[in-house]
Amino acid sequence: MSSETLKIPQATAKRLPLYYRFLKNLHSAGKLRVSSAELSEAVKVDSATIRRDFSYFGALGKKGYGYNVDYLLSFFRKTLDQDELTKVALVGVGNLGTALLNYNFLKNNNTKISVAFDIDEAKIGSTMSGVTIYHMDDMEKVLEELGISIAILTVPAPYAQSITDRLAKANVKGILNFTPARLTVPATMRVHHIDLAVELQSLVYFLKHYGVNEVEEIEE
Amino acid sequence: MSSETLKIPQATAKRLPLYYRFLKNLHSAGKLRVSSAELSEAVKVDSATIRRDFSYFGALGKKGYGYNVDYLLSFFRKTLDQDELTKVALVGVGNLGTALLNYNFLKNNNTKISVAFDIDEAKIGSTMSGVTIYHMDDMEKVLEELGISIAILTVPAPYAQSITDRLAKANVKGILNFTPARLTVPATMRVHHIDLAVELQSLVYFLKHYGVNEVEEIEE
DNA sequence: AAAACATTGTTATCCATTTCACATAAAACT
DNA sequence: AGTTTTATGTGAAATGGATAACAATGTTTT
């Protein structure tokens, strides 16, 4: 099952999709080779960090030359499981949920919102951006039928925890949580938060309290 | 101007808005005191980390008692500049931009999208969620009139860099960047990225490659 | 084919952050 | 009032991540 590759540092793992995207750009632009220095300029990550990141996967480059774009690209495609489509569920089709439905994850990643759930009768049964919206009452059933194990959570905060509990029972393993709620989950689940208000507010804080130009870039 | 307080670690600064939000919840719920252990359970941050974070601001608690909710809340209100309203501009009123317009930042933070820009003639001049939409051609002028120094960027990726250059000239100091582009900015500016595709994909990667239950929670 | 050049992979170092563990002191109890 | 309980604040250790710097090695040029 889980390809127990050597454990890559989390910070590195978070940068992989970024590298992959830029490699695709380079490929489309017809570039054949790239150095860590060039890549660094494009993705705004120190070149030594890039080399270190790549090195966890072995020697992918050639000294004095750099990296072969095609080779690197196909390597990352395998590593990031881009060959198989990953199906994701959207729970909560409000403003943000609707925006995510229209957001084309497929374009960059082989990941697709395949189904959505809501409680608004006006939406149920309809399709948006080609995605059918089901009633939340049918969530467990539909998720298991489709074999979905990842959910994007965009419901009002007060419902977040109880819906998470249901997702856990339905064998969902990962949640991308857009609600402000800090979810309690079984140890077998993984939650990534995207907390819009916190992001905005921490930006405000940094601007007011840190000498601007103190630090260059901060990654989420 | 910039209250040159002792430099709080960045990781701490990013958690402050989170603490603030939960303290508000506790306050609404009528709680008078709270311990770092309780808070830890609620925000999913180790209690020692919470105590350390608070300690950068001095001794806010009392041994054997914990923290007084009201005191802590008013302290953070000052620290996070919640007394003055922070005005923010939205650049790009597409799907995601529209969702953010409807997202009520004001509720939790004293931060408000005060103005929006787009190039779609159908939208220009109208208001959405009480926010007037101007033509992007007028951006510099309007920003300076309103004295806005923070922008949320939700435009198509190919336009991101050139618009960023214009924002820089218009004296904007902070950008919350929702586009996949990695922006090049002067050292006087600060960019926070929220890269939706990367977030989703890295979640997928973690689930496939890390023994689930390996790590509890990851922050953004 | 030799010399000059470019760029990796990695070692050693540095820095930031988290966590442990406990002395200290206040609060609660008897 | 004295004893026990509770929970802070922090020194010290551990972890995690970024960066500098350079030997090794392949590439390009002449």
Side-chain angles (χ1 to χ4, degrees):
Chain A
M1 173 101 253
S2 87
S3 33
E4 190 62 46
T5 342
L6 54 159
K7 279 292 164 32
I8 303 305
Q10 301 212 4
T12 297
K14 285 206 148 194
R15 284 187 292 265
L16 296 183
L18 190 61
Y19 296 147
Y20 180 66
R21 187 162 63 206
F22 273 86
L23 286 170
K24 290 216 305 185
N25 291 351
L26 290 177
H27 180 75
S28 313
K31 278 212 113 198
L32 298 179
R33 58 186 271 192
V34 66
S35 68
S36 61
E38 279 178 275
L39 213 46
S40 169
E41 170 59 24
V43 301
K44 305 278 189 277
V45 170
D46 186 273
S47 69
T49 301
I50 293 178
R51 292 198 299 282
R52 158 99 45 220
D53 282 349
F54 287 4
S55 79
Y56 291 116
F57 298 99
L60 302 177
K62 269 194 285 191
K63 298 190 179 188
Y65 175 91
Y67 302 89
N68 178 291
V69 172
D70 283 6
Y71 177 74
L72 210 51
L73 194 57
S74 71
F75 180 84
F76 275 116
R77 180 159 31 234
K78 274 177 245 143
T79 301
L80 291 173
D81 300 294
Q82 288 298 305
D83 289 329
E84 49 178 294
L85 178 73
T86 303
K87 288 181 288 184
V88 172
L90 176 75
V91 185
V93 191
N95 289 313
L96 189 56
T98 303
L100 294 177
L101 271 183
N102 293 320
Y103 194 96
N104 194 356
F105 288 108
L106 255 186
K107 194 172 173 185
N108 285 307
N109 316 304
N110 211 349
T111 306
K112 187 180 187 308
I113 296 178
S114 305
V115 63
F117 302 97
D118 206 299
I119 52 167
D120 181 352
E121 294 291 349
K123 288 172 188 155
I124 290 161
S126 72
T127 70
M128 296 181 69
S129 304
V131 177
T132 303
I133 302 171
Y134 291 90
H135 195 286
M136 209 104 93
D137 289 350
D138 303 324
M139 191 170 72
E140 287 85 345
K141 195 184 66 187
V142 175
L143 287 179
E144 278 175 71
E145 274 171 19
L146 296 176
I148 287 179
S149 65
I150 298 183
I152 298 176
L153 196 60
T154 50
V155 300
Y159 302 105
Q161 185 60 57
S162 64
I163 292 172
T164 296
D165 295 344
R166 288 176 56 194
L167 290 172
K169 278 196 194 135
N171 222 31
V172 164
K173 294 301 177 208
I175 291 180
L176 191 56
N177 175 26
F178 283 89
T179 81
R182 308 311 267 198
L183 304 171
T184 299
V185 295
T188 55
M189 280 183 89
R190 190 173 181 100
V191 180
H192 281 206
H193 290 279
I194 297 184
D195 195 321
L196 300 175
V198 163
E199 292 294 337
L200 184 56
Q201 180 134 30
S202 81
L203 177 60
V204 171
Y205 182 84
F206 276 114
L207 291 174
K208 293 211 178 152
H209 293 261
Y210 284 64
V212 133
N213 103 332
E214 200 67 43
V215 196
E216 276 282 16
E217 284 264 283
I218 294 304
E219 199 54 14
E220 248 337 69
Chain B
M1 177 92 256
S2 88
S3 31
E4 190 63 46
T5 344
L6 54 158
K7 280 290 164 34
I8 303 305
Q10 300 212 5
T12 297
K14 285 204 147 197
R15 283 187 291 265
L16 296 184
L18 188 62
Y19 296 147
Y20 181 64
R21 188 163 60 206
F22 273 85
L23 285 171
K24 288 215 306 185
N25 291 351
L26 290 177
H27 180 76
S28 313
K31 277 213 113 197
L32 298 179
R33 59 185 271 194
V34 65
S35 68
S36 61
E38 278 178 277
L39 214 45
S40 169
E41 170 60 23
V43 300
K44 305 279 189 271
V45 169
D46 186 274
S47 70
T49 302
I50 293 178
R51 292 198 301 279
R52 166 90 52 207
D53 283 347
F54 287 3
S55 79
Y56 292 116
F57 299 99
L60 302 178
K62 266 195 286 190
K63 300 190 179 189
Y65 174 89
Y67 302 89
N68 179 292
V69 172
D70 283 6
Y71 177 74
L72 211 51
L73 193 58
S74 72
F75 181 85
F76 276 117
R77 178 157 35 234
K78 273 177 245 143
T79 301
L80 291 172
D81 300 294
Q82 290 297 305
D83 290 329
E84 47 178 296
L85 178 73
T86 302
K87 287 181 288 184
V88 173
L90 177 75
V91 185
V93 190
N95 288 314
L96 189 55
T98 304
L100 294 176
L101 270 183
N102 293 318
Y103 194 97
N104 195 356
F105 288 107
L106 255 185
K107 193 173 174 186
N108 285 308
N109 315 304
N110 212 349
T111 306
K112 186 178 187 311
I113 295 178
S114 304
V115 63
F117 303 97
D118 205 298
I119 52 166
D120 181 352
E121 294 292 349
K123 289 172 187 156
I124 291 161
S126 73
T127 70
M128 296 179 68
S129 303
V131 177
T132 303
I133 303 172
Y134 292 90
H135 195 286
M136 209 105 91
D137 289 350
D138 302 325
M139 190 170 72
E140 288 84 345
K141 196 184 67 187
V142 175
L143 286 179
E144 277 174 72
E145 276 171 17
L146 296 176
I148 287 179
S149 64
I150 298 183
I152 298 176
L153 195 61
T154 49
V155 301
Y159 302 106
Q161 184 60 58
S162 64
I163 291 172
T164 296
D165 295 345
R166 288 175 57 192
L167 290 171
K169 277 195 194 135
N171 222 29
V172 164
K173 295 300 177 210
I175 291 181
L176 190 56
N177 175 27
F178 282 89
T179 81
R182 308 311 270 197
L183 304 171
T184 299
V185 295
T188 54
M189 279 183 88
R190 187 171 185 104
V191 180
H192 281 205
H193 291 279
I194 299 184
D195 195 322
L196 300 177
V198 164
E199 292 293 338
L200 183 56
Q201 180 134 31
S202 80
L203 177 60
V204 171
Y205 181 85
F206 277 114
L207 291 175
K208 293 211 179 152
H209 293 261
Y210 284 63
V212 132
N213 104 330
E214 201 66 45
V215 196
E216 276 282 15
E217 285 264 281
I218 296 304
E219 202 54 11
E220 72 104 263

